[in-house]
Amino acid sequence: MSENKKEEIIKVNHITKRYDDNSVLEDFSLSVYEGEVVVIVGPSGCGKSTILRIMNGLEPIQKGEVTYRGEKVDGKLGSITRIREKVGMVFQSYELFPHKTILQNVMLAPVLVQKRDKKEVKEEALQLLARVGLAEKKDSYPRQLSGGQKQRVAIVRALCMHPEVLLFDEVTAALDPEMVREVLEVILSLAKEGKTMVIVTHEMAFAEAIADRVIFLDAGQIEEEGTAEEFFRHPKSERAKQFLNSFTYEKK
Amino acid sequence: MNWEVIGSYLPLYWKAMLLTLRIGWIGIVFAILLGVLCAIVRFYKIPVLSQLAGVYIEVFRNTPLLVQLFFLYFALPKIGIPIRADFCGALGLALLGGAYMAETFRSGLESVAGIQTESALSLGMNKSQVVTHIIFPQAFARSVPSFVANIIFLLKETSVFSAISLMDLMFTAKDLIGLYYKTTECLTLLVVFYALILIPVSVLGDRLERRVRHAEFGD
């Protein structure tokens, strides 16, 4: 299954991202292909989340270019809303809209942005909520839900837009351990359907299970790249070995 | 307490209350509009307008309504802009209230986290959709308590209207006391009529607060 035969969906082309004088990403490139699950791992502050934010046009860049199916991704361009319909994003802190019910949260953008038929959207929203086991929460408000439930709703909200790519930004980092699985199961099921996804995570077991390709990032550079098997079982670089070791414990 | 006197004064107080309400209502509506406008201008830091709004807010929050009214009522005609007393009262109230409402709404807007905007943007919404559907409803919900407090404050401030010879409640009470010396009755009626205006506002404000509370989320 060679990646090159598949269509390139997102292309990050030699970008440089700085905050003030701090360089976060320098001459960074990455391509995401159709149906692929790319997992980005690496130590905190290495620029993982920034990459996702740039792919969604939420972060200005100083050099280079990001394209979605050949179209420039730039938060300042009018075309960005159309691109964002196709490139969904799920945030670490869920960011449901607290003044709207669960169902309203899911339905808002499809009706408002995509001008889809309300009845049809509602039907789909209820189906999707049922799929993640939250159909009975449709009339609740976000504050009445647990973190794991909120994150599942956030995923449903993104899915209801029929995105072509989903970006997951440390979606379990704010969750209690026992809620991590319920969220990751949802993402795993999406991977089985062949959804294209870019995932930033600290859950190494999950990363290994879901990734078609793992990217190990350190200080804004791709330090190592490979299949899940290659990266987790036979890491090549010293940095990657060190990083993976930091997740295992031994009683001395 | 002479109940007969009170009975005979009632129509006068009623009329005065209607005047207080009429001017108060108009003033407050424009105060809200002005406040929303200034809050948006300040929140989005629109150049020039933002600074102008800042100056306006500081000037009107830091001078007494009485002084503002005197200025509008006595100084404006001197420079060739004649102004009716009731119009002047409503304008003064709107300007004072606008300054307070602006700060109330601005702090409401600022309390909505930036990442809420990002999550709305990431769903393909444009900026104006984000403002009307995501930021504004949340900001308003959070400003409701101080918004209601502002309205009550402004209604109470109308009591200085008498200084520009508007026949409001305060004017009527002072006038009657001056004429007939029925001080106890006049002042009692004054308290009762202000309470008549303000208690319903307070109760409605409470209701409004409870209705929008769901937006005040802990998590």
Side-chain angles (χ1 to χ4, degrees):
Chain A
M1 202 176 79
S2 151
E3 280 160 7
N4 296 330
K5 281 182 191 155
K6 295 213 165 183
E7 217 173 327
E8 190 178 49
I9 295 181
I10 295 179
K11 187 176 175 69
V12 178
N13 203 1
H14 299 289
I15 62 162
T16 293
K17 167 72 195 174
R18 293 192 198 95
Y19 290 107
D20 300 322
D21 282 337
N22 273 331
S23 171
V24 183
L25 299 165
E26 197 76 53
D27 195 30
F28 179 89
S29 297
L30 169 69
S31 289
V32 179
Y33 297 90
E34 198 180 344
E36 190 188 22
V37 178
V38 177
V39 175
I40 305 175
V41 297
S44 305
C46 67
K48 306 183 295 283
S49 295
T50 309
I51 296 169
L52 293 191
R53 293 170 54 79
I54 289 170
M55 286 177 174
N56 207 245
L58 292 172
E59 208 65 71
I61 49 176
Q62 280 72 41
K63 263 190 217 151
E65 191 179 54
V66 179
T67 54
Y68 164 78
R69 288 198 176 275
E71 211 175 340
K72 194 171 178 203
V73 177
D74 182 337
K76 288 195 206 73
L77 297 179
S79 56
I80 191 68
T81 55
R82 213 165 10 85
I83 293 173
R84 282 180 181 141
E85 284 177 41
K86 289 287 152 204
V87 184
M89 181 147 175
V90 183
F91 296 81
Q92 176 178 340
S93 48
Y94 341 118
E95 298 310 324
L96 299 182
F97 306 129
H99 58 301
K100 295 194 177 293
T101 64
I102 297 311
L103 189 60
Q104 287 168 343
N105 259 279
V106 178
M107 288 176 62
L108 179 66
V111 172
L112 186 70
V113 176
Q114 297 179 318
K115 315 272 180 242
R116 275 154 60 191
D117 177 54
K118 227 175 175 167
K119 240 181 81 190
E120 171 245 325
V121 173
K122 185 173 176 181
E123 230 163 82
E124 186 183 354
L126 289 173
Q127 263 171 27
L128 286 169
L129 284 172
R131 176 179 163 180
V132 300
L134 290 173
E136 81 283 10
K137 297 285 184 192
K138 67 184 168 67
D139 295 319
S140 303
Y141 282 95
R143 64 179 157 77
Q144 296 165 313
L145 269 57
S146 72
Q149 291 173 328
K150 276 190 262 200
Q151 198 57 292
R152 281 182 279 159
V153 173
I155 295 171
V156 164
R157 185 174 67 173
L159 280 177
C160 207
M161 294 291 287
H162 304 155
E164 193 176 12
V165 191
L166 278 167
L167 312 174
F168 292 93
D169 186 8
E170 302 197 30
V171 290
T172 58
L175 296 178
D176 289 336
E178 73 269 25
M179 289 173 185
V180 168
R181 176 167 283 269
E182 66 190 44
V183 172
L184 297 185
E185 297 278 4
V186 173
I187 304 176
L188 276 165
S189 77
L190 292 174
K192 272 195 207 127
E193 287 173 11
K195 261 257 176 281
T196 311
M197 299 191 271
V198 185
I199 300 171
V200 166
T201 185
H202 285 294
E203 300 288 335
M204 289 307 136
F206 167 68
E208 189 173 355
I210 200 169
D212 293 319
R213 181 153 59 109
V214 179
I215 287 170
F216 174 61
L217 209 65
D218 191 32
Q221 302 283 340
I222 295 183
E223 188 72 31
E224 191 165 332
E225 183 176 353
T227 64
E229 163 84 13
E230 282 165 2
F231 177 74
F232 287 103
R233 299 297 155 208
H234 318 286
K236 292 186 284 274
S237 69
E238 236 1 86
R239 274 302 284 131
K241 282 177 196 162
Q242 268 176 21
F243 174 74
L244 289 171
N245 269 334
S246 69
F247 291 92
T248 55
Y249 295 91
E250 268 173 73
K251 196 171 170 188
K252 295 207 173 108
Chain B
M1 189 84 79
N2 186 334
W3 294 102
E4 223 168 286
V5 168
I6 288 185
S8 68
Y9 286 174
L10 275 178
L12 291 171
Y13 274 87
W14 180 255
K15 225 179 124 196
M17 184 181 80
L18 293 184
L19 179 115
T20 295
L21 280 177
R22 185 163 56 85
I23 299 177
W25 184 77
I26 295 169
I28 287 166
V29 167
F30 280 97
I32 294 168
L33 293 177
L34 193 58
V36 169
L37 216 64
C38 288
I40 292 173
V41 159
R42 297 258 283 164
F43 181 67
Y44 288 101
K45 301 197 172 62
I46 299 168
V48 187
L49 289 180
S50 173
Q51 282 82 357
L52 282 177
V55 170
Y56 153 68
I57 289 165
E58 287 313 313
V59 167
F60 279 85
R61 279 210 313 170
N62 295 308
T63 47
L65 179 59
L66 188 59
V67 174
Q68 295 165 16
L69 287 180
F70 276 163
F71 184 84
L72 292 172
Y73 193 60
F74 298 111
L76 285 186
K78 290 248 156 64
I79 56 169
I81 310 169
I83 188 165
R84 266 170 50 189
D86 53 355
F87 182 70
C88 177
L91 181 64
L93 202 62
L95 289 171
L96 173 76
Y100 277 87
M101 292 292 186
E103 289 300 272
T104 293
F105 292 135
R106 188 179 59 90
S107 65
L109 286 170
E110 274 168 9
S111 70
V112 182
I115 192 162
Q116 277 277 307
T117 301
E118 290 184 347
S119 102
L121 286 175
S122 79
L123 287 164
M125 291 187 207
N126 61 38
K127 279 187 183 143
S128 71
Q129 288 168 334
V130 174
V131 170
T132 45
H133 293 271
I134 306 304
I135 302 190
F136 238 69
Q138 291 185 59
F140 178 71
R142 293 179 193 201
S143 347
V144 161
S146 52
F147 169 75
V148 173
N150 281 349
I151 290 179
I152 291 171
F153 157 75
L154 290 171
L155 283 171
K156 287 193 286 193
E157 282 293 293
T158 60
S159 59
V160 305
F161 283 172
S162 58
I164 52 168
S165 66
L166 277 170
M167 300 261 280
D168 75 330
L169 284 170
M170 197 69 191
F171 187 99
T172 304
K174 280 199 286 192
D175 218 25
L176 287 171
I177 291 170
L179 284 171
Y180 306 111
Y181 301 109
K182 303 283 184 209
T183 314
T184 316
E185 286 80 0
C186 284
L187 291 181
T188 308
L189 275 171
L190 189 60
V191 171
V192 168
F193 270 86
Y194 269 118
L196 217 57
I197 296 177
L198 290 163
I199 289 172
V201 174
S202 189
V203 170
L204 285 176
D206 260 10
R207 284 248 183 96
L208 180 65
E209 212 182 314
R210 237 171 294 144
R211 272 194 61 177
V212 295
R213 179 156 290 170
H214 61 75
E216 261 187 60
F217 56 107
D219 190 6

